[in-house]
Amino acid sequence: MSSGVVSGGGGTTSIVWFRRDLRIEDNPALAAGVRAGTVVPLFIWAPEEEGHYYPGRVSRWWLKQSLAHLDSSLKSLGTSLITKRSTDSVSSLIDVVKSTGATHLFFNHLYDPLSLVRDRRAKEILTDQGIIVRSFNADLLYEPWDVNDDHGHPFTTFTEFWNKCLNMPYDPAAPTLPPKRIISGDVSQCSSDKLIFENETEKGSNALLARAWSPGWSNADKALTAFISGPLIEYSVNHRKADSATTSFLSPHLHFGEVSVRKVFHLLRIKQILWANEGNTTGEESVNLFLKSIGLREYSRYISFNYPYTHEKPLLGHLKFFPWVVDENYFKAWRLGRTGYPLVDAGMRELWATGWLHDRIRVVVSSFFVKVLQLPWRWGMKYFWDTLLDADLESDALGWQYISGTLPDARALDRIDNPQFEGYRFDPDGEYVRRWLPELARLPTEWVHHPWNAPEPVLQAAGVELGMNYPLPIVEIDSAKDRLQQSVAEMWQLEAASRAAIENGTEEGLGDSSDSAPIAFPQDIMDVDHEPARNDTTSIPRRHQDQMVPSMTSSFLKVSDESSSEHRESAENSRQEVPQEPLRETLNQGSPHAFRQNNSPPQFNINMGLHNFEDVAESSSISRSSKDGGVVPIWCPSSSSSSEQFVVEENDTESSSSYLQRHPQSNELIDWRRLSQARTKKLGDRAS
DNA sequence: GCGGCATTAAT
DNA sequence: TTAATGCCG
């Protein structure tokens, strides 16, 4: 083992607390533990801490495999993973500290709201007990607090943020190699709990997953290499097709930290320089495009850190006044893939059956959800959370907020994308629809994305009976447009009224807290009986509040019980209708050409011209001195949800200014509110 | 070379 | 819808 940089090895035992950094390679917390002496690698399974965001079935399956993989790697290096079942991570940490005699705790940063709170607590409490706690950046190219505009404020649009990232004065830290050997700490007094990640029924449902996916850090590394040396070069050309085979397969790996994003970045850059030199513009474009999807992942963490309520509240406050349609039948039809819009339905069936969805299709189905059905976006987000293999709170929150028009740079709120046209754009030959909607399989391409227009003889010949074996559109696009216009107008009126009320001092705080009564979360919807969705839109109950999940920090509800049982049942239903996952058969591991399915990197990545950065090569030699090891991103929720304190603790001598001092208004709604008002004016002008 | 028209894609 | 790009006369 290496000589102990921190304290001379030998006597020092460190706990390395693994969370979503399930890799050996380029893992700063692990490296710190190895440097310090003997190591106790630890994983704590405390899903109840996640509240509503108890991981979904397929996500838990992945986690299980990934941990097994990690454990076997650790064993080959000389130690093994201690696992604890817990409802309180911090007490479990204390237990492990006591039973192992550890003096150090190392972990890598997470940026979701819950982890920010929990990690702060962990750090405080363990530090109080005399433990040396250090934490590191293993998840991002740059820490959120390092990327600011000229005034030192956080960016509020992606493009600005990403341009800044690409033009930082120092490179992301270079990835490091795995340790050669790990000396195990004394765990004779510290037993592992057996962790249960799936029940028997779920096991059955998960059985096929292993044929398509190989969780675990070294498999992630293989997937990365395979992608970069294969489909990457054509990524810009192919990434748009719903059925294309050229996405990276990396997003679940990235979610669990099986692969280092900094390694991805560095490998991409090598290709970029190579292709730039060769004058391969397609390749260059592809790298930029793919890098951008990495950037969106970064941005999701950045946003979550700076505005740690993004998973439950719209960033632009006016969306609170949007009159969401609370209709359980709509929601159900969407989940079942029975909306009558083939591209949407195909996507939802695929999600159901596989836990996977091409990011283009994610945009299609979520946009349909929000704009056509006008269902509360957080229901959709929650469903994604429950069903996606790569469910990721930060990325999904960003994606849904983008779709819902609640970001300053989101697409226009009142714009509806027509699934029919999107169908011909993303699935021009109808292959995707035919694969997932066997009832439409015999329909000619001409009609496959709008069967409701097809002549009766064509339908008959294809065996399609609209309203019987395939539904008519649940909502007409034209009426959806009308309804959306009305809703948006209503939203602005309410927002203006609220603002006036605040200015008059007649009402307070209507603006930004969770004052509005919540639209209950799906659990009261998930188990509704199987009623066909109605086409009539006149009697839909509406509520004038943003939907609101009970605070994550206060709730130990296991929503996923209902949702997963419903999901299972539905999946079973659908298996009769859906062809038996042809993709699994074709997904031979290791063969890039077998990648039938689109594993896009983090969700919602979309093409965008980035700056070429030829200067990247020169700047690559600059490395930055890490301020890791002391900084913990921290969020303290207060009783009022609108006034979260947001403090970064800095043990580091390098900087004495807290995050709050540097960004005094970063955690208030001020910025967004201002943006919201600017937008009010703009949209108001346009409307009049 | 330039204006007009079509195409594309948007975080 | 709009802005940017590309093609063609």
Side-chain angles (χ1 to χ4, degrees):
Chain A
M1 12 8 324
S2 47
S3 62
V5 169
V6 172
S7 55
T12 299
T13 297
S14 310
I15 293 170
V16 174
W17 183 20
F18 284 91
R19 293 100 62 83
R20 264 167 270 148
D21 50 349
L22 305 181
R23 64 176 185 267
I24 303 294
E25 187 177 70
D26 194 32
N27 185 324
L30 177 62
V34 170
R35 274 199 308 273
T38 62
V39 170
V40 176
L42 172 67
F43 181 84
I44 301 169
W45 173 237
E48 288 81 6
E49 284 183 346
E50 316 290 324
H52 276 287
Y53 294 93
Y54 189 105
R57 167 174 61 86
V58 291
S59 181
R60 277 178 278 123
W61 173 85
W62 188 288
L63 176 59
K64 179 185 177 186
Q65 318 301 319
S66 188
L67 286 170
H69 189 101
L70 178 70
D71 185 44
S72 98
S73 295
L74 289 168
K75 285 196 168 101
S76 73
L77 291 170
T79 180
S80 64
L81 191 64
I82 298 290
T83 52
K84 289 287 182 188
R85 180 66 173 90
S86 172
T87 53
D88 179 0
S89 295
V90 178
S91 352
S92 295
L93 281 173
I94 294 168
D95 290 347
V96 176
V97 163
K98 288 190 173 142
S99 60
T100 59
T103 54
H104 290 60
L105 170 67
F106 298 123
F107 60 88
N108 294 311
H109 292 159
L110 296 174
Y111 309 90
D112 67 281
L114 273 176
S115 298
L116 292 170
V117 176
R118 184 196 51 217
D119 293 353
R120 178 201 170 86
R121 231 185 106 226
K123 188 162 193 178
E124 277 179 355
I125 292 177
L126 285 148
T127 302
D128 280 351
Q129 304 205 352
I131 304 299
I132 294 167
V133 183
R134 291 285 180 270
S135 60
F136 304 87
N137 170 20
D139 194 48
L140 296 175
L141 300 177
Y142 299 102
E143 290 283 21
W145 52 84
D146 285 334
V147 184
N148 294 304
D149 66 16
D150 295 340
H151 307 290
H153 299 312
F155 292 103
T156 53
T157 56
F158 171 70
T159 308
E160 287 179 306
F161 163 81
W162 189 229
N163 283 335
K164 176 72 178 193
C165 288
L166 294 176
N167 293 292
M168 291 287 276
Y170 51 91
D171 272 350
T176 59
L177 292 170
K180 290 200 178 66
R181 195 169 165 209
I182 302 173
I183 311 288
S184 181
D186 177 7
V187 293
S188 56
Q189 305 303 311
C190 180
S191 59
S192 274
D193 299 330
K194 179 156 176 51
L195 305 184
I196 311 286
F197 292 104
E198 46 189 7
N199 62 34
E200 287 309 310
T201 335
E202 289 175 330
K203 258 184 202 161
S205 304
N206 287 335
L208 283 171
L209 286 169
R211 297 174 63 181
W213 297 94
S214 297
W217 73 274
S218 58
N219 294 319
D221 200 53
K222 283 180 205 145
L224 173 63
T225 311
F227 174 68
I228 286 186
S229 58
L232 171 63
I233 195 164
E234 296 284 309
Y235 183 73
S236 65
V237 188
N238 291 331
H239 80 115
R240 239 165 279 124
K241 296 286 177 285
D243 239 11
S244 82
T246 59
T247 45
S248 74
F249 268 81
L250 285 179
S251 62
H253 294 297
L254 279 166
H255 171 75
F256 287 106
E258 294 175 1
V259 65
S260 158
V261 75
R262 294 185 293 232
K263 181 168 183 180
V264 176
F265 180 80
H266 279 86
L267 290 180
L268 284 172
R269 199 158 64 178
I270 290 167
K271 282 292 184 189
Q272 183 176 48
I273 291 162
L274 179 72
W275 288 332
N277 286 339
E278 289 175 358
N280 185 333
T281 48
T282 306
E284 261 192 291
E285 222 176 284
S286 292
V287 172
N288 287 337
L289 189 61
F290 187 73
L291 262 177
K292 202 193 74 176
S293 69
I294 297 293
L296 284 163
R297 178 181 177 282
E298 296 271 309
Y299 190 55
S300 73
R301 270 79 179 144
Y302 184 80
I303 289 288
S304 177
F305 174 79
N306 284 310
Y307 310 95
Y309 45 81
T310 32
H311 60 295
E312 38 188 31
K313 294 208 293 188
L315 285 167
L316 292 176
H318 57 260
L319 255 289
K320 172 170 5 63
F321 301 101
F322 190 90
W324 299 105
V325 174
V326 179
D327 184 298
E328 58 204 43
N329 289 324
Y330 277 9
F331 187 42
K332 184 147 201 113
W334 180 77
R335 280 178 290 153
L336 293 172
R338 299 192 64 78
T339 67
Y341 290 92
L343 186 65
V344 174
D345 291 340
M348 295 310 291
R349 306 265 181 102
E350 182 185 16
L351 174 58
W352 226 347
T354 69
W356 188 257
L357 218 44
H358 188 284
D359 65 75
R360 293 282 88 213
I361 305 303
R362 294 182 197 206
V363 172
V364 169
V365 300
S366 56
S367 159
F368 184 86
F369 185 94
V370 170
K371 301 295 180 69
V372 178
L373 301 179
Q374 290 185 42
L375 291 165
W377 60 270
R378 282 181 44 261
W379 293 8
M381 193 185 102
K382 176 61 166 61
Y383 185 72
F384 270 25
W385 175 260
D386 288 338
T387 53
L388 278 172
L389 198 57
D390 60 3
D392 182 286
L393 199 56
E394 296 95 310
S395 286
D396 289 340
L398 180 66
W400 281 90
Q401 293 235 15
Y402 164 66
I403 293 298
S404 308
T406 66
L407 297 165
D409 48 359
R411 70 169 49 183
L413 180 58
D414 53 355
R415 167 177 173 173
I416 287 187
D417 291 307
N418 190 321
Q420 175 185 338
F421 302 142
E422 289 181 311
Y424 287 107
R425 186 130 70 103
F426 301 132
D427 181 32
D429 306 319
E431 284 309 303
Y432 180 71
V433 162
R434 290 195 189 90
R435 171 176 315 168
W436 294 107
L437 302 178
E439 60 267 47
L440 300 185
R442 294 163 63 201
L443 216 50
T445 303
E446 188 185 357
W447 305 109
V448 80
H449 288 299
H450 54 134
W452 59 88
N453 292 137
E456 193 51 39
V458 172
L459 290 172
Q460 264 176 26
V464 176
E465 277 185 83
L466 290 177
M468 300 299 289
N469 64 355
Y470 187 73
L472 283 158
I474 183 173
V475 180
E476 300 280 342
I477 292 297
D478 284 342
S479 64
K481 279 181 183 163
D482 291 346
R483 186 171 70 183
L484 186 59
Q485 299 293 346
Q486 283 172 28
S487 300
V488 168
E490 198 176 330
M491 174 188 78
W492 288 117
Q493 277 169 17
L494 289 165
E495 198 262 357
S498 159
R499 221 154 7 91
I502 291 170
E503 276 158 25
N504 294 337
T506 49
E507 256 177 284
E508 258 181 64
L510 234 181
D512 40 21
S513 59
S514 54
D515 41 71
S516 21
I519 294 179
F521 210 28
Q523 67 254 40
D524 55 12
I525 283 176
M526 288 292 199
D527 47 11
V528 203
D529 54 342
H530 295 55
E531 285 232 339
R534 287 178 306 174
N535 275 329
D536 116 69
T537 59
T538 53
S539 60
I540 287 161
R542 286 165 170 238
R543 300 191 198 165
H544 295 97
Q545 305 88 14
D546 192 7
Q547 74 286 4
M548 183 67 63
V549 171
S551 158
M552 290 168 70
T553 48
S554 67
S555 164
F556 280 69
L557 270 172
K558 284 174 58 175
V559 176
S560 69
D561 278 351
E562 285 106 328
S563 57
S564 61
S565 63
E566 135 89 22
H567 186 242
R568 202 187 321 120
E569 175 203 277
S570 316
E572 242 116 57
N573 289 347
S574 81
R575 284 213 178 98
Q576 289 144 25
E577 310 169 47
V578 171
Q580 200 38 266
E581 315 235 19
L583 61 121
R584 308 234 177 272
E585 309 305 327
T586 53
L587 266 178
N588 290 321
Q589 298 301 325
S591 159
H593 300 295
F595 287 5
R596 298 277 324 265
Q597 226 173 358
N598 301 293
N599 173 357
S600 51
Q603 298 75 43
F604 301 108
N605 55 325
I606 283 169
N607 188 1
M608 184 185 80
L610 287 178
H611 289 191
N612 293 331
F613 43 123
E614 291 96 7
D615 56 331
V616 137
E618 291 100 283
S619 61
S620 69
S621 57
I622 306 164
S623 78
R624 70 179 284 240
S625 68
S626 170
K627 61 195 270 191
D628 283 336
V631 182
V632 184
I634 281 157
W635 176 48
C636 309
S638 67
S639 53
S640 146
S641 70
S642 63
S643 58
E644 303 92 332
Q645 308 272 306
F646 205 14
V647 182
V648 165
E649 186 183 305
E650 311 236 2
N651 295 348
D652 211 284
T653 51
E654 180 186 331
S655 162
S656 60
S657 64
S658 74
Y659 181 82
L660 254 180
Q661 282 163 337
R662 269 186 271 170
H663 309 301
Q665 64 284 75
S666 67
N667 193 43
E668 297 163 14
L669 284 171
I670 288 175
D671 284 341
W672 299 102
R673 184 98 61 77
R674 221 190 305 128
L675 284 157
S676 148
Q677 285 171 16
R679 188 164 259 239
T680 309
K681 229 184 270 165
K682 215 167 44 182
L683 288 185
D685 291 345
R686 203 181 299 160
S688 62

